[in-house]
Amino acid sequence: MSNLFKIAVFISGTGSNLKSIIEKQPQYPYQVSLVVSNNENAKGLAIAKSHNIPTYVFKWDRNDSYLSKVHNQIKQADCQLIVLAGFMKILPKGFIDSFQNQIINIHPSLLPKYPGLHTHQRVLDKGDKFHGTTVHYVNTELDAGKIIAQSKIKIKKDDNKDTLAARLLFREHSLFPYTIYLIAQNRVKWRENELYFDQKILTQPIEMNE
Ligand code: GAR
């Protein structure tokens, strides 16, 4: 069995972040061991299959009856981190509690600004000068867990929500694999409820602006 740091990636749709995470595997010491989706038509499932990565599709329901099955799949695949990459459901508290500090998400805004949906349009409506993307740990509040890393872009005069989304997605494709790499290397880690980066308590997001 390989010693690589194993991750499960959760998706709901296109899966372009999943693709970038998979494609960075040769250069980063992690392994996508499982892809989970609440949507059997998610395009990202085909990306996983084309790389021979096991997939698991579950049906979302209000009683959370899928939870123990998803939980078992992750344990069986021996995953140490759950990566939400365009996963558009809010995970229930029981699930989050059972993987404490082991779930990360990417969100298309400079959190704590603009949690929730339609971030690109909201940034434009406010007339902000900058936009960005954030990788953060997941807790039981929406988009409010500890921030790990961010990538920032300057908003141009002629930007609209689609141009912003495209430029930001391009940044996500570097930021997310890099952040997973830092966790896999133990360079980002939790100790006694504090998050450390390279042995120092993380007080500001790690920035990756290229
Ligand atoms: C990404 O932009 C991600 O930040 C966003 O969905 C997109 C998924 O794209 N996530 C959220 O809005 C979560 N609240 P992808 O399926 O091509 O990776």
Side-chain angles (χ1 to χ4, degrees), residues 120-137:
H120 314 305
Q121 190 58 52
R122 286 157 69 200
V123 162
L124 290 169
D125 292 347
K126 276 272 178 188
D128 287 3
K129 291 198 168 58
F130 291 94
H131 191 22
T133 182
T134 302
V135 181
H136 65 96
Y137 279 94

Side-chain angles (χ1 to χ4, degrees), residues 11 24 64 66 73 76 82-83 110-111 127-128 135 142:
I11 57 166
K24 293 266 163 64
D64 300 341
Y66 54 87
Q73 291 287 326
Q76 268 169 30
I82 296 172
V83 173
L110 291 171
L111 289 173
D128 287 3
V135 181
L142 181 67

Side-chain angles (χ1 to χ4, degrees), residues 11-18 84-88 105-109 116-117 119-120 133 142-143 165 168-169 172-173:
I11 57 166
S12 295
T14 314
S16 72
N17 274 288
L18 168 69
L84 307 184
F87 183 68
M88 303 311 275
N105 178 46
I106 193 155
H107 179 77
S109 80
L117 298 174
T119 55
H120 314 305
T133 182
L142 181 67
D143 301 325
L168 215 55
L169 205 54
E172 293 190 351
H173 295 164

Side-chain angles (χ1 to χ4, degrees), residues 6-140:
K6 298 190 181 67
I7 66 173
V9 182
F10 282 37
I11 57 166
S12 295
T14 314
S16 72
N17 274 288
L18 168 69
K19 184 168 181 281
S20 72
I21 291 166
I22 293 172
E23 287 175 352
K24 293 266 163 64
Q25 285 180 133
Q27 104 194 48
Y28 290 151
Y30 59 73
Q31 178 183 301
V32 182
S33 295
L34 181 66
V35 172
V36 176
S37 184
N38 61 306
N39 172 13
E40 63 183 356
N41 298 316
K43 282 191 193 155
L45 288 170
I47 298 171
K49 284 177 187 150
S50 72
H51 286 84
N52 294 321
I53 298 168
T55 58
Y56 182 74
V57 177
F58 69 93
K59 207 168 164 6
W60 193 264
D61 70 52
R62 242 188 273 162
N63 306 320
D64 300 341
S65 49
Y66 54 87
L67 269 192
S68 64
K69 284 187 188 147
V70 176
H71 192 280
N72 288 345
Q73 291 287 326
I74 292 164
K75 290 290 173 195
Q76 268 169 30
D78 199 22
C79 295
Q80 291 158 269
L81 186 72
I82 296 172
V83 173
L84 307 184
F87 183 68
M88 303 311 275
K89 294 282 185 189
I90 296 174
L91 289 165
K93 181 176 178 334
F95 189 86
I96 292 170
D97 286 348
S98 63
F99 290 102
Q100 216 192 359
N101 296 337
Q102 287 183 291
I103 310 177
I104 61 171
N105 178 46
I106 193 155
H107 179 77
S109 80
L110 291 171
L111 289 173
K113 287 174 117 179
Y114 312 112
L117 298 174
H118 311 302
T119 55
H120 314 305
Q121 190 58 52
R122 286 157 69 200
V123 162
L124 290 169
D125 292 347
K126 276 272 178 188
D128 287 3
K129 291 198 168 58
F130 291 94
H131 191 22
T133 182
T134 302
V135 181
H136 65 96
Y137 279 94
V138 172
N139 64 13
T140 50

